[in-house]
Structures are given as structure tokens and as C-alpha cells.
Amino acid sequence: MVSNATPLPQPAQAALTRFPIVFADGVNYSGPLGAAWAPGRVNLIGEHTDYNDGYVLPIAVDRVAAFAGRARNDGIIRLWSAQFQAMAQFSLEGLPTTFEQQREGLPGWARYVLGVVSELSGKGIPLSGFDAVIGGDVPLGGGMSSSAALEVATAYACALFSVDHFTIGAEGATLTPMQVAAVCQYAEQIASGVQCGILDQAASCLGQPEKAVLLDCRSLDYRYLPFHAPGLSLMVIDTGVRRELAASAYNERRKQCEEATSMLREIILQHEPNNDTAGAISALRDISQGQFERYGGELLAVLRKRAGYVIAEDARVLETVKLLEANAFEEIGALLWQTHAGLRDEYEVSSVELDALVEIARQVQGVLGARMMGGGFGGCTINLLRDSAVEPLRLAVEDQYPAQTGRQATIDICRAAGGPGFVRAR
Ligand code: GLA
């Protein structure tokens, strides 16, 4: 076996076992059986900052999307989704030109795979066809970026099945992990229509056990911070609400941030004609809190709220970095409550269900902080809490959430885990 030394996650093992059962029709394979996987993520702090060229602080979690399969002699890709119990098929021929047309015939989950394959083909990387079983234990649509995990796992599967033409690694490889993240970000955009930033895909590509990643979404520089918190847990609570209107609201927020940026640039230039750097303002990242306090009042109310949230959130991420280095988890918790308030009142991407979960958590002793996580309107909350508060929070959610919302929540404890991996029979 050849592997990059990560222990084999259970969904990869399960997919390897399923492969010969699902694909038993005697195709002539050109390579051995192999598996590739990539993790989902939580985001400690830094929400809706990625597409504003700001900072994020995600953690890859111990949940993965996994492929197990074999390279084919032709340009066909056949996929069996263990989660959806469904088959999908497309062709490498003509990609990326045939993307739109092939996308139409595919179920949602397979569109992400097609998106990645199409983006890789567009870069001129010669890919092999393959058959694969796809499995995973990232809750689907539950706010831990199951789609990013699937995209990144797709890229690693393509490298595994096209081993002579395509490698992922440090310098000298076809693509670095960060370049894979960018490919997968575009794949998500074309597959889903959401003009997402790079947070989810980068978090999946860069994961390391017991580490959070501080990513500068402008330069794409990153550094690891210890996320080793004895006696503390990270709990993800899924509202059970899927984000139907989220794509248009997300794209609208992104546009509002761009509008706020160009208006603030004009306002600052008017007030400070000798300010040499103002002309180069190209994202909310470039506006200081002081400038926002001075000039934010000149923006339309809605733009002022959006920009105010993003500028404060970037500052909270950098503050969290200092606090993490000092193991000051109580203070980090306080920032999480603040982020939730900003997402609810200024960015306006929360929901009744997300607010209910955060308020339930606030009443439980030993919860240091909680907030909605991800794009918003549904999905999940992230809760930083003492181990002793895990059971009390679970009970409080079971007791109060259905009564308040008419829904059931799902609770998960996550650990900071490694990034993508693969294993291949020689
Ligand atoms: C979604 C997007 C990310 C990011 C978050 C909000 O998860 O995919 O790029 O913008 O929302 O922080």
C-alpha cells in the first residue's frame, strides 16, 4: 500500500469494501483500488470575512468525504453515492466546455464532483476516467461544509487515479494544497451558484490535528495555531433547517459589501485628499475601525450595518489569535457571542432557529460562547464549552428547542483533525 500516512477514516474503509460490490460489471481497469478523503470544517471565528479579503480561523474536523475507486481506460467517470444510494455518470470529453450541458443531467451531489473535474481540466491537467464509491460522515448540508469536503476529496481522488499526470503537494507538484482549495472554491461556485469565498475549501485542504488555521484570504498566507483545549469541547448543533434562500441572500451580501467598499473609498478620498493609501482600498479589509467610525455614518443604513459587522469581525479574528496563544478561552467565548449578535443584527443572516439555539446555550453554565456558523439562514451553531457543560447543554436543547421551533436539533462533538489523505494498493 502507498499512503500519505494518515490513518484510514472509517468512511474510506467502508467505501473500499463497497467498491467491488457496486462496480461488478467487468470494466477493464487501468489502475489498482485506492481511496482518497478530505475533512469537513468548523470555523471558530471569521464569518463572512473571506470574500472581503479578510481573516478566518477554521478548524478541520474528524468527519470526511471519501472516494474509493479505480482508474478506467477511457474518459468516463461513474460514481455511486453511498449516502444518496444513487449512481451518476459523466464524461471528461469536452470539459470544461461541456460543463453546463453535463451539469443539467446530474443530481446535486454529483455536480460538485463534475465542477472540480471541470476546473482541473480547464487548467490543462490530463485526468483519467474512474469508477468510485463516495461515502462520508460529514452531516450533509449541516453546516460543516460537506460540499467542500466532497470537492477537496474529488481533487485528491483525481490525483490518485491520474497518478502519472497529476500530483498535489509542495513546490514541484502539479498543484499545492492552496491551489487545490482555489480550484474547489470555483467548483463550488459553478456547481451551486453561490459566489462563496475560500474559507471552507482552504480549511479542508489545510487541516492538521489539534490546530486551527489563521488564513489571510487576500494573500492566502496561513499559519497554524494550537487548538489544544483540555477540558473544553466544540459542539456543533444543527438546526435541521436547510438553507433554501441562502444562495441569493449570500450573493446579495457579497454585493452589498462591494458597494460599501467603493462608497467608503470615495468618502475617504473626499475627506482625506492627501491619503496615499485610500485610492488602493479594494475590500472592507482595507478600512480601519477608526476610518469606519469617522465615515461609516455617511453610508446608507443597510450598507453601514453590513460593513460595520465585517470590519469588527476581522478585528475579532485577530484578537482571537492572541487569545488562543494565551489559552484565554473564556475571552474567546465572549467574542463568539459578539459575532452572533453581529450576524443577527447587522449582517442579518441568522434565523429564528439559530437564535433559539444560541439563547438556549447562553443559559447553560459552562458554555463559554456560541454563535451561528457558516453562510446562515439555517445550518448550525458552534459552541465552545466546558466538558462538564456538554450533557447539560444537550438536555437543554432536547428540552427547549423542539418546543420553541417545532424542530429537532442534532448534536455533534468535533475534534480538530487532519487534512486530506489517500491510500493506494501498489
Ligand atoms: C459559506 C461560504 C464561505 C463563507 C461562509 C461565511 O460557508 O462557503 O466561503 O463565506 O459561508 O463565513
mmCIF file of all heavy atoms in Angstrom, residues 41 47-48 50-51 196-197 199-200 250 374-375, ligand 1:
data_model
loop_
_atom_site.group_PDB
_atom_site.id
_atom_site.type_symbol
_atom_site.label_atom_id
_atom_site.label_comp_id
_atom_site.label_asym_id
_atom_site.label_seq_id
_atom_site.Cartn_x
_atom_site.Cartn_y
_atom_site.Cartn_z
ATOM 1 N N ARG A 41 -15.298 21.046 8.106
ATOM 2 C CA ARG A 41 -14.661 22.037 8.973
ATOM 3 C C ARG A 41 -15.669 22.695 9.910
ATOM 4 O O ARG A 41 -16.859 22.701 9.652
ATOM 5 C CB ARG A 41 -13.972 23.130 8.144
ATOM 6 C CG ARG A 41 -14.934 23.954 7.253
ATOM 7 C CD ARG A 41 -15.271 25.292 7.854
ATOM 8 N NE ARG A 41 -16.292 26.026 7.157
ATOM 9 C CZ ARG A 41 -17.585 25.998 7.465
ATOM 10 N NH1 ARG A 41 -18.036 25.249 8.450
ATOM 11 N NH2 ARG A 41 -18.461 26.721 6.796
ATOM 12 N N GLU A 47 -16.562 35.057 10.205
ATOM 13 C CA GLU A 47 -17.678 34.647 9.346
ATOM 14 C C GLU A 47 -17.998 35.773 8.368
ATOM 15 O O GLU A 47 -18.088 36.946 8.764
ATOM 16 C CB GLU A 47 -18.880 34.337 10.237
ATOM 17 C CG GLU A 47 -19.696 33.175 9.790
ATOM 18 C CD GLU A 47 -18.946 31.846 9.816
ATOM 19 O OE1 GLU A 47 -18.952 31.188 10.865
ATOM 20 O OE2 GLU A 47 -18.363 31.472 8.769
ATOM 21 N N HIS A 48 -18.152 35.408 7.093
ATOM 22 C CA HIS A 48 -18.421 36.373 6.019
ATOM 23 C C HIS A 48 -17.276 37.388 5.875
ATOM 24 O O HIS A 48 -17.505 38.511 5.410
ATOM 25 C CB HIS A 48 -19.766 37.082 6.225
ATOM 26 C CG HIS A 48 -20.932 36.165 5.971
ATOM 27 N ND1 HIS A 48 -21.388 35.885 4.714
ATOM 28 C CD2 HIS A 48 -21.692 35.431 6.818
ATOM 29 C CE1 HIS A 48 -22.410 35.037 4.797
ATOM 30 N NE2 HIS A 48 -22.598 34.742 6.069
ATOM 31 N N ASP A 50 -14.284 36.085 4.477
ATOM 32 C CA ASP A 50 -13.368 35.544 3.454
ATOM 33 C C ASP A 50 -13.479 36.292 2.121
ATOM 34 O O ASP A 50 -12.465 36.656 1.519
ATOM 35 C CB ASP A 50 -13.505 34.023 3.286
ATOM 36 C CG ASP A 50 -14.888 33.521 2.907
ATOM 37 O OD1 ASP A 50 -15.850 34.321 2.920
ATOM 38 O OD2 ASP A 50 -15.001 32.313 2.602
ATOM 39 N N TYR A 51 -14.721 36.559 1.685
ATOM 40 C CA TYR A 51 -14.851 37.248 0.388
ATOM 41 C C TYR A 51 -14.692 38.769 0.530
ATOM 42 O O TYR A 51 -14.877 39.505 -0.426
ATOM 43 C CB TYR A 51 -16.198 36.897 -0.289
ATOM 44 C CG TYR A 51 -17.410 37.124 0.573
ATOM 45 C CD1 TYR A 51 -17.994 38.375 0.644
ATOM 46 C CD2 TYR A 51 -17.949 36.086 1.313
ATOM 47 C CE1 TYR A 51 -19.104 38.594 1.434
ATOM 48 C CE2 TYR A 51 -19.064 36.298 2.119
ATOM 49 C CZ TYR A 51 -19.632 37.547 2.174
ATOM 50 O OH TYR A 51 -20.741 37.769 2.963
ATOM 51 N N CYS A 196 -19.201 31.872 -3.300
ATOM 52 C CA CYS A 196 -18.569 31.680 -1.988
ATOM 53 C C CYS A 196 -17.118 32.143 -1.985
ATOM 54 O O CYS A 196 -16.490 32.272 -3.032
ATOM 55 C CB CYS A 196 -18.627 30.206 -1.607
ATOM 56 S SG CYS A 196 -17.633 29.167 -2.665
ATOM 57 N N GLY A 197 -16.606 32.376 -0.778
ATOM 58 C CA GLY A 197 -15.184 32.648 -0.598
ATOM 59 C C GLY A 197 -14.418 31.335 -0.476
ATOM 60 O O GLY A 197 -14.951 30.261 -0.761
ATOM 61 N N LEU A 199 -12.995 30.060 2.360
ATOM 62 C CA LEU A 199 -12.906 29.509 3.714
ATOM 63 C C LEU A 199 -13.022 27.986 3.781
ATOM 64 O O LEU A 199 -12.132 27.308 4.303
ATOM 65 C CB LEU A 199 -14.022 30.143 4.573
ATOM 66 C CG LEU A 199 -14.404 29.446 5.871
ATOM 67 C CD1 LEU A 199 -13.244 29.478 6.846
ATOM 68 C CD2 LEU A 199 -15.615 30.115 6.498
ATOM 69 N N ASP A 200 -14.121 27.449 3.267
ATOM 70 C CA ASP A 200 -14.430 26.037 3.506
ATOM 71 C C ASP A 200 -13.413 25.120 2.840
ATOM 72 O O ASP A 200 -12.953 24.144 3.425
ATOM 73 C CB ASP A 200 -15.835 25.709 2.961
ATOM 74 C CG ASP A 200 -16.893 26.642 3.521
ATOM 75 O OD1 ASP A 200 -16.654 27.230 4.590
ATOM 76 O OD2 ASP A 200 -17.942 26.789 2.873
ATOM 77 N N TYR A 250 -26.851 35.257 0.116
ATOM 78 C CA TYR A 250 -25.389 35.277 0.236
ATOM 79 C C TYR A 250 -24.796 36.188 -0.849
ATOM 80 O O TYR A 250 -23.974 37.063 -0.570
ATOM 81 C CB TYR A 250 -24.860 33.845 0.088
ATOM 82 C CG TYR A 250 -23.374 33.696 0.301
ATOM 83 C CD1 TYR A 250 -22.874 33.269 1.527
ATOM 84 C CD2 TYR A 250 -22.455 33.956 -0.719
ATOM 85 C CE1 TYR A 250 -21.501 33.116 1.737
ATOM 86 C CE2 TYR A 250 -21.100 33.811 -0.526
ATOM 87 C CZ TYR A 250 -20.627 33.387 0.704
ATOM 88 O OH TYR A 250 -19.275 33.243 0.897
ATOM 89 N N GLY A 374 -21.159 29.648 9.497
ATOM 90 C CA GLY A 374 -21.330 29.447 8.058
ATOM 91 C C GLY A 374 -22.168 30.551 7.429
ATOM 92 O O GLY A 374 -22.301 31.646 7.976
ATOM 93 N N GLY A 375 -22.747 30.236 6.278
ATOM 94 C CA GLY A 375 -23.459 31.232 5.485
ATOM 95 C C GLY A 375 -24.667 31.824 6.190
ATOM 96 O O GLY A 375 -24.961 33.005 6.060
HETATM 97 C C1 GLA B 1 -20.184 29.817 3.447
HETATM 98 C C2 GLA B 1 -19.181 30.084 2.317
HETATM 99 C C3 GLA B 1 -17.838 30.541 2.862
HETATM 100 C C4 GLA B 1 -18.003 31.693 3.850
HETATM 101 C C5 GLA B 1 -19.094 31.378 4.873
HETATM 102 C C6 GLA B 1 -19.390 32.552 5.753
HETATM 103 O O1 GLA B 1 -19.784 28.715 4.230
HETATM 104 O O2 GLA B 1 -18.992 28.909 1.558
HETATM 105 O O3 GLA B 1 -16.990 30.910 1.796
HETATM 106 O O4 GLA B 1 -18.241 32.905 3.203
HETATM 107 O O5 GLA B 1 -20.303 30.966 4.260
HETATM 108 O O6 GLA B 1 -18.289 32.842 6.541
#
